[in-house]
Amino acid sequence: MRIEPRWIGLFEEVLALSGARAGEVAAVLCERSSRDVLVELAELALEGMGLTTYRVTVPTPAPPPGAPLRSTGTSRAIAGVRQVIDALSGADLIVDVTVEGLLHAAERSALLSRGARIFMIGNEAPEVFERLRPAPGLHELCVHGAELISQAGRMHVTSSSGTNLTVDLSKAVGRGSAGTAQTPASFGYWPAGLCLTSPPPGSVNGRIVFAPGDANLTFKRYFEAFAALTLEADHVVAIEGDNLDAELMRSYLAGFGREAYAVSHVGWGMNPAARWDALVMYDKADVNGIELRAFAGNFLFSTGANETANRFTDGHFDLPMRNCTVQLDDDEPVVSAGVLRSDLRLAA
């Protein structure tokens, strides 16, 4: 893919929001299977902004035995190699252009503990980034939503399809970001616009019912029939549905251990520029589906790795749902049938 000149300016704009400035040292982390155009755009933007830039390229690991891995947010490329972590840790800013990203990777904590900021660029076609440049004011709204989660004791999620899920938030910490990494030891990713939490062990119970138009981003496909999950003490204990959607979920999760059935994170999307229907417009190789995680008013339910609960697994589902109602304690819902509350919406 040829680089369009305007993309360099776009990457400079977004990297500047994460504090990239002349005189800093930036490391670009990639693997051999990374999308070349994104690696080159990151380097051209950083160098054009006056940062000292170096690249760390690691081999793309062979897939583990069993199920194929897609859209996990858990790059396996560093493979725990201390020398790679050391090579990255000297940078002020780490730009992560691995295929799956460091969002749930075990090495993320080690890198952040040394003070580096990490900015993860999703494995998406450049056109997606053009449509989803960070909107002014969105970061502050995401932080506001995260504070609401941290202050609440309970999340209750319902839908007309039959979803009825409770999350104990008494020990949960909210996270919200439009994708910037502005302070030392912070983590941002692009595209973004989410409020979420990784619940502590034993805090999620109830029932999730997927309706046509909800999405399974590991499979990069929409649900075409109703399917249901029953959750007890964080774990999926039943997958119901006499249809292909449910059968695919049962088959895929059976290829992993028990931790793949556990809750990874829950929250809601905040980005008005993100579209729930975008997945139909791209070939599967073109996108990683991050846009659908962030579309405004979705309820994002995810299974798999959860660093708060000290659970790490290659099995991961991101499952953005439409038309849900998300309530914190007894307050007015933050999302009502898929529509964000007014204090969480950008002004028109």
Side-chain angles (χ1 to χ4, degrees), residues 204-275:
V204 184
N205 294 276
R207 185 173 172 83
I208 290 281
V209 181
F210 302 106
D214 295 336
N216 185 322
L217 297 183
T218 300
F219 298 157
K220 298 182 186 177
R221 60 177 275 151
Y222 295 98
F223 284 87
E224 297 183 2
F226 289 89
L229 307 180
T230 300
L231 287 107
E232 297 177 0
D234 280 354
H235 288 74
V236 175
V237 296
I239 302 173
E240 303 167 43
D242 185 17
N243 53 64
L244 180 60
D245 295 312
E247 183 60 27
L248 283 170
M249 294 185 77
R250 286 190 288 264
S251 176
Y252 188 75
L253 283 179
F256 302 93
R258 184 171 184 268
E259 291 182 342
Y261 290 80
V263 175
S264 176
H265 50 80
V266 294
W268 63 87
M270 296 281 289
N271 194 332
R275 297 182 60 99

Side-chain angles (χ1 to χ4, degrees), residues 71 122-133 189-194 215 217 222 268-282 286-298 300 318 320:
S71 299
N123 187 26
E124 310 280 347
E127 177 196 315
V128 175
F129 297 107
E130 285 195 283
R131 292 190 297 102
L132 296 175
R133 62 191 342 120
Y189 51 91
W190 182 33
L194 289 165
L217 297 183
Y222 295 98
W268 63 87
M270 296 281 289
N271 194 332
R275 297 182 60 99
W276 78 271
D277 57 0
L279 207 56
V280 298
M281 304 304 296
Y282 298 96
D286 289 337
V287 292
N288 220 17
I290 297 175
E291 176 171 0
L292 274 74
R293 294 166 171 85
F295 75 84
N298 87 78
L300 180 60
D318 272 328

